[in-house]
Amino acid sequence: SKSAGRNCFTVYDEAMSAELEARNTLEGDLRDAIARCQLEVHYQPFVDALSGERRGFEALVRWRHPTRGLIPPDQFIALAEETGLIVPLGEFVLRRACADAAGWPAELMIAVNLSPIQFKEAELFDMICAALADSGLPPQRLEIEITESVLLERGSENHAFMERLKQLGVELALDDFGTGYSSLSYLTAFPFDKIKIDKSFIRNLTQQPRSSAIISSIVTLARGLDMSVTAEGVETPEEFDRLKALGVNFAQGYLFGRPHPIERILFDAPVKSSR
Ligand code: C2E
Ligand code: CA
Ligand code: CA
Ligand code: CA
């Protein structure tokens, strides 16, 4: 009936406005958090699969909320992208990560995630150059992680942008590989140095023969394209053994360390230089 319909609508409407209000609060809080430096960058190591040596860290943002504690990125990155706050947030993370990494042993890379939304900013290239110059970090030590959605939209513009980053010496990694629209043709068309296989493939690696087959073919493909392969989300020695046998170049996951604040990262053994 008409009135039931109206009731339904009212309930829906109230639920919506409550959700909107919560969102607005969160958005305001996030805006403040960026302004008041309540965002933190944590670092998770990745290792060379053959030697087991640490090769670098991925920068992962966290929000230290005054009342809600430490909030993981899954709870605010989407909102930051919808509201455009990802632009100042992303700049903060990149600058912090470059500044921190500049003080690490020179062999260690720093990998930073870029949102597709940041790619729409004309100033992104200049911002990256400024972050490198201000921190003194050599471009060769910076790796930018992007997801394949960047390759679908505005393909040619983004391609040109990536070529400029390569010219500068920055490394490019394709993140979360296997979760999206991954047409293999993207891989050949864009200048990636590295493919990061999504952790969903590693999760059921030891039970699912199919996952091994997929990883094995990604490794073969990457070799043919002169790219390296990272497996993310490696949690057990069994998974790591399997991945080594499959020819993966780098591994990242709780087995080698969780993301930690800079204060908790130890550079115990002096890192040997190959030269
Ligand atoms: P991601 O880029 O795929 O990062 C890897 C995620 O996997 C991280 O989650 C990390 O903590 C988690 N992880 C690492 N090893 C393991 C493991 O062994 N097992 C399991 N189950 N998980 C593992 P986190 O830190 O919660 O970040 C989630 C996502 O948020 C990231 O996924 C990335 O897409 C996004 N993100 C984080 N920091 C930034 C940032 O600064 N900028 C942008 N644009 N996105 C970010
Ligand atoms: Ca990543
Ligand atoms: Ca990933
Ligand atoms: Ca390279």
Side-chain angles (χ1 to χ4, degrees):
S1 78
K2 230 176 182 173
S3 68
R6 197 182 301 132
N7 267 339
C8 257
F9 183 75
T10 309
V11 171
Y12 180 61
D13 201 44
E14 274 165 11
M16 275 237 322
S17 62
E19 200 183 301
L20 253 174
E21 209 175 288
R23 247 188 67 112
N24 286 341
T25 309
L26 194 67
E27 182 185 341
D29 281 4
L30 184 57
R31 207 175 289 279
D32 287 350
I34 296 168
R36 293 180 193 157
C37 301
Q38 286 170 358
L39 295 180
E40 292 180 9
V41 181
H42 289 199
Y43 298 98
Q44 182 181 38
F46 60 88
V47 304
D48 182 298
L50 276 184
S51 66
E53 273 176 51
R54 212 153 55 173
R55 280 302 154 83
F57 291 84
E58 177 174 1
L60 295 159
V61 70
R62 272 95 181 89
W63 175 4
R64 193 162 299 274
H65 193 279
T67 55
R68 292 171 56 193
L70 203 64
I71 307 180
D74 287 343
Q75 288 177 36
F76 62 88
I77 289 290
L79 178 72
E81 288 178 331
E82 285 160 29
T83 55
L85 287 171
I86 193 73
V87 173
L89 184 156
E91 176 165 1
F92 166 79
V93 173
L94 182 74
R95 285 183 170 277
R96 169 93 278 143
C98 288
D100 285 343
W104 299 348
E107 292 79 5
L108 295 174
M109 300 283 295
I110 178 70
V112 178
N113 295 284
L114 279 196
S115 159
I117 308 296
Q118 289 177 272
F119 267 71
K120 300 203 171 90
E121 293 289 298
E123 301 81 18
L124 179 61
F125 187 77
D126 294 340
M127 190 276 278
I128 293 172
C129 291
L132 287 166
D134 292 350
S135 63
L137 186 80
Q140 291 73 17
R141 289 182 57 200
L142 176 64
E143 187 164 86
I144 297 289
E145 296 193 3
I146 57 181
T147 53
E148 58 200 350
S149 63
V150 168
L151 314 179
L152 294 171
E153 283 175 68
R154 303 168 16 115
S156 66
E157 265 173 78
N158 290 341
H159 187 277
F161 173 78
M162 289 168 66
E163 288 290 357
R164 286 175 80 197
L165 283 181
K166 293 270 6 137
Q167 297 277 303
L168 198 64
V170 170
E171 303 255 304
L172 295 173
L174 180 58
D175 205 358
D176 301 342
F177 188 71
T179 56
Y181 291 90
S182 302
S183 156
L184 296 179
S185 63
Y186 292 135
L187 279 180
T188 56
F190 288 86
F192 288 106
D193 299 283
K194 191 189 261 187
I195 298 168
K196 295 189 81 176
I197 304 178
D198 190 69
K199 52 180 175 287
S200 57
F201 293 98
I202 283 67
R203 195 71 322 104
N204 45 27
L205 178 66
T206 39
Q207 296 99 325
Q208 284 252 349
R210 274 162 179 257
S211 291
S212 286
I214 291 168
I215 292 168
S216 167
S217 47
I218 294 173
V219 168
T220 306
L221 178 80
R223 276 198 193 135
L225 296 171
D226 204 20
M227 298 173 188
S228 59
V229 175
T230 299
E232 43 174 45
V234 183
E235 294 183 355
T236 68
E238 291 74 27
E239 287 165 353
F240 186 39
D241 285 345
R242 202 65 225 269
L243 290 160
K244 278 192 279 194
L246 290 168
V248 156
N249 307 89
F250 303 99
Q252 182 177 348
Y254 296 162
L255 180 64
F256 313 100
R258 297 202 172 228
H260 282 307
I262 181 98
E263 304 80 31
R264 290 195 48 195
I265 298 173
L266 299 173
F267 298 106
D268 30 40
V271 181
K272 277 180 243 119
S273 171
S274 53
R275 267 162 289 177

